[in-house]
Amino acid sequence: MPLCPTLQISLMPLTKTFPLCRFYGTKVDLRKLRPMILDRIDKRAHTYPVRSMVPVAQQVLLSRNALIHGVSTLLHSIPLMVCKFCPEICIGEQGHLIQTCWGYRRRAKNRVHEWVSGGLNDILVPVEAYHLHTMFQRVITHDQRFDFDRIPAVVELCWQAGADLHDENLYSSSSNLEASDDSVHGTESLSPKDLASVANKTFDAWEALRSGVQKLLLVYPVKVCKYCSEVHVGPSGHKARLCGVFKYESWKGAHFWMKANVDDLVPPKIVWRRRPQDPPVLVNEMRGFYGRVPAVLDLCTKSGAIVPPKYNCMMKVQGLSSPINIKILQEH
């Protein structure tokens, strides 16, 4: 049935507004492009390490060694308590009463922590990565997971950035950190002035370490798994199926890589901080009034260090320790 003339006139502009669709077909031989792609990858390796970042990597290693030595020294004067069932820590002679313990899988949640004595690894959490032969080598497969050494991720990043490594840096794993903690002698007799000096140097080393790692991450690629704390220093993650042994078995343990940040390589380990206006033991009812700061910061401040004002918001220096009774204020 033919359309009416008015309807034909109204449809004519609509048909002219649609552009013509063109379909392009390209026949590319990937076998010819493969040598060009491999050659470009090989040439990319010659641009690393970046010369301007070599001093930064050297300074990161020096700051890391100073931080380990400083924290080990302070722990001989300031006690450290760790939870028996979760990663929570508390810096002081006794732990708090805040109910944040999630314990084991069959243990009740939000319970009071059970405190035991802690060590260096509880503050400076070890983060290890595979030590690559070259930065742009082939991806590590699952069968090759035992063919490569595991070293601290920060040390691997500095090595790829061109820093000169020594044996004490290359193999300073978690066990070696505990050994260095026991090797510091004569620190119990430090005067308050000397202890404050060590605390200031330790806090400066911690800030220099995080600042240097942040600069290196702008130039060198580092990956972290989305579902676990596995870190890989390099342009692409490895294929060792070590993730999700219990929860993500449908993925056969493969990691899901994403871009890493400073907290993935240098975990801050956040703790509850007790202020002078707070009770001797922090209670669960007033947990919203307490500050939450990195463990190194809390350790250094309790040793006499002076921290920059930018951390006052985290420490809640001028904050209240309990809610104000509004009715009492209105009566007066």
Side-chain angles (χ1 to χ4, degrees):
M1 180 177 182
L3 298 174
C4 61
T6 57
L7 185 58
Q8 291 180 357
I9 295 174
S10 61
L11 291 177
M12 288 179 59
L14 295 177
T15 57
K16 294 182 180 180
T17 56
F18 291 98
L20 297 177
C21 297
R22 297 182 180 179
F23 298 94
Y24 296 91
T26 57
K27 296 182 180 180
V28 179
D29 191 359
L30 296 178
R31 290 177 294 181
K32 296 181 180 179
L33 292 179
R34 179 179 175 83
M36 301 172 57
I37 296 174
L38 295 178
D39 183 63
R40 186 172 181 177
I41 294 176
D42 294 338
K43 290 182 179 180
R44 183 180 60 174
H46 297 296
T47 59
Y48 290 94
V50 181
R51 293 185 179 180
S52 60
M53 301 303 294
V54 174
V56 178
Q58 294 284 4
Q59 185 61 38
V60 167
L61 286 180
L62 295 177
S63 301
R64 179 179 177 270
N65 294 334
L67 177 62
I68 294 175
H69 179 74
V71 173
S72 301
T73 304
L74 297 178
L75 286 180
H76 284 79
S77 301
I78 305 297
L80 173 65
M81 306 300 294
V82 301
C83 182
K84 187 178 180 180
F85 300 105
C86 73
E88 181 77 12
I89 68 174
C90 182
I91 299 175
E93 296 181 356
Q94 55 183 345
H96 56 73
L97 299 178
I98 302 176
Q99 300 177 6
T100 55
C101 182
W102 44 270
Y104 295 117
R105 177 175 295 181
R106 296 184 180 180
R107 184 179 171 87
K109 311 301 180 183
N110 298 328
R111 296 186 57 176
V112 179
H113 299 275
E114 297 186 18
W115 302 103
V116 295
S117 299
L120 180 63
N121 285 344
D122 298 311
I123 293 183
L124 303 179
V125 181
V127 179
E128 296 183 346
Y130 283 110
H131 181 43
L132 306 181
H133 301 310
T134 59
M135 181 178 178
F136 295 98
Q137 70 175 35
R138 293 183 179 273
V139 179
I140 300 176
T141 61
H142 181 70
D143 298 334
Q144 297 175 339
R145 63 189 184 278
F146 298 117
D147 298 338
F148 295 85
D149 296 331
R150 299 277 293 182
I151 66 173
V154 174
V155 177
E156 175 66 17
L157 178 61
C158 295
W159 176 79
Q160 294 189 14
D164 295 332
L165 301 183
H166 303 286
D167 292 338
E168 60 269 14
N169 291 325
L170 192 61
Y171 298 104
S172 56
S173 59
S174 58
S175 59
N176 291 7
L177 289 181
E178 292 290 350
S180 65
D181 186 19
D182 299 333
S183 62
V184 181
H185 301 285
T187 58
E188 296 84 354
S189 60
L190 287 178
S191 63
K193 183 178 179 180
D194 295 336
L195 193 64
S197 177
V198 174
N200 284 313
K201 294 179 180 179
T202 302
F203 185 75
D204 293 340
W206 182 72
E207 282 199 319
L209 173 63
R210 290 180 60 88
S211 177
V213 172
Q214 178 65 45
K215 295 177 182 178
L216 294 177
L217 290 178
L218 297 175
V219 180
Y220 295 91
V222 179
K223 306 294 182 181
V224 64
C225 182
K226 183 179 179 181
Y227 299 105
C228 70
S229 58
E230 178 69 14
V231 173
H232 182 78
V233 183
S236 60
H238 59 77
K239 294 184 179 180
R241 299 188 297 271
L242 304 175
C243 177
V245 177
F246 301 102
K247 193 173 182 180
Y248 303 101
E249 292 183 354
S250 60
W251 298 337
K252 297 182 180 180
H255 294 285
F256 286 76
W257 300 106
M258 57 185 297
K259 186 177 181 181
N261 53 29
V262 181
D263 292 342
D264 297 321
L265 276 74
V266 188
K269 196 67 175 185
I270 304 299
V271 299
W272 297 95
R273 182 179 183 273
R274 180 186 174 275
R275 303 162 299 177
Q277 63 268 30
D278 294 330
V281 179
L282 302 181
V283 295
N284 186 63
E285 290 75 12
M286 308 303 173
R287 56 187 293 184
F289 296 89
Y290 306 143
R292 296 277 286 170
V293 298
V296 175
L297 187 149
D298 192 20
L299 178 65
C300 294
T301 53
K302 290 182 178 178
S303 303
I306 300 176
V307 298
K310 63 181 181 179
Y311 295 102
N312 289 344
C313 182
M314 300 175 61
M315 295 187 295
K316 297 183 180 181
V317 178
Q318 304 296 335
L320 300 174
S321 59
S322 61
I324 300 177
N325 195 341
I326 302 177
K327 294 182 180 180
I328 297 178
L329 294 177
Q330 290 178 355
E331 292 178 359
H332 291 282

